[in-house]
Amino acid sequence: MTTRWLTPEEQRAWRAYNAASRLLEDAIDRQLQQEGGMPHLFYMVLANLSEAPDRRLRMTDLAETLKITRSRLTYAVTRLERDGLVRREDCRRDRRSSLAVLTDEGMAVLERTAPGHVETVRSALFDRLTPEQVGQLAEICTGIARGLQDEDPGVGAGDLPWRRRSSCSP
């Protein structure tokens, strides 16, 4: 198989993407740690639960929404549960599943933290783009995500993060 090396323009784009994504994630994490005492992932768990019916989601659905492994979600929910921000419940329809539920305390933390988070995202990302670029960014990211989830023959159903089994599984 012949290696398809990146062109100079692709290399420039790849490196720019890497730098921007790392700097953006760092800015968001710093803000959330300072104002909410939590990393970005924990905030995203709370935010997604806040938007769900009855502030609850099946753990597998939440992992898929967040594009993370089930074990990583379990770790995050365990920490949030310890802090009283989330609780777990058994799923009545599927005994193999459990639900993550946003508590009132978790909702209060989210409401306190959200304004600073939105301001950080706005100032670090959207204030630097024209309205046309915002549309292009959405289109580009949607295309990449769709391709990695649905169309890329190199990514099988078991390779998606939320479908991966723990390395400890038989």
Side-chain angles (χ1 to χ4, degrees):
M1 184 168 124
T2 303
T3 301
R4 296 176 35 207
W5 297 106
L6 299 179
T7 67
E9 186 64 17
E10 290 168 335
Q11 185 69 260
R12 188 177 75 75
W14 174 241
R15 289 184 179 176
Y17 163 79
N18 272 303
S21 63
R22 285 190 173 93
L23 289 166
L24 180 60
E25 191 64 32
D26 181 66
I28 291 169
D29 262 337
R30 276 185 288 118
Q31 178 271 323
L32 288 170
Q33 286 289 355
Q34 289 170 356
E35 293 184 27
M38 71 181 82
H40 191 198
L41 173 60
F42 291 16
Y43 177 88
M44 292 306 298
V45 169
L46 299 180
N48 278 273
L49 290 174
S50 76
E51 296 167 352
D54 298 321
R55 300 189 323 203
R56 67 189 65 223
L57 282 171
R58 279 181 356 136
M59 292 280 286
T60 52
D61 295 336
L62 185 54
E64 181 174 355
T65 298
L66 295 171
K67 310 294 185 241
I68 61 173
T69 62
R70 292 178 288 183
S71 62
R72 188 168 179 211
L73 177 63
T74 297
Y75 172 79
V77 168
T78 298
R79 292 282 309 274
L80 291 165
E81 203 172 23
R82 188 180 69 203
D83 294 339
L85 307 180
V86 170
R87 72 173 182 276
R88 275 185 258 213
E89 295 178 354
D90 291 330
C91 182
R92 292 184 193 129
R93 292 179 300 175
D94 181 357
R95 295 212 180 264
R96 296 171 297 167
S97 297
S98 61
L99 301 170
V101 182
L102 181 65
T103 65
D104 291 340
E105 185 178 345
M107 189 66 185
V109 167
L110 183 63
E111 288 172 343
R112 273 193 319 270
T113 310
H117 172 68
V118 171
E119 182 53 38
T120 299
V121 170
R122 177 168 298 292
S123 65
L125 179 62
F126 293 109
D127 288 351
R128 300 168 192 280
L129 303 175
T130 66
E132 181 179 281
Q133 288 172 321
V134 171
Q136 292 168 344
L137 178 64
E139 188 176 326
I140 290 166
C141 292
T142 299
I144 292 168
R146 185 180 301 121
L148 289 170
Q149 292 177 100
D150 301 333
E151 301 162 8
D152 190 336
V155 178
D159 288 338
L160 295 170
W162 56 92
R163 293 186 181 152
R164 287 185 196 140
R165 297 262 179 226
S166 167
S167 59
C168 298
S169 294

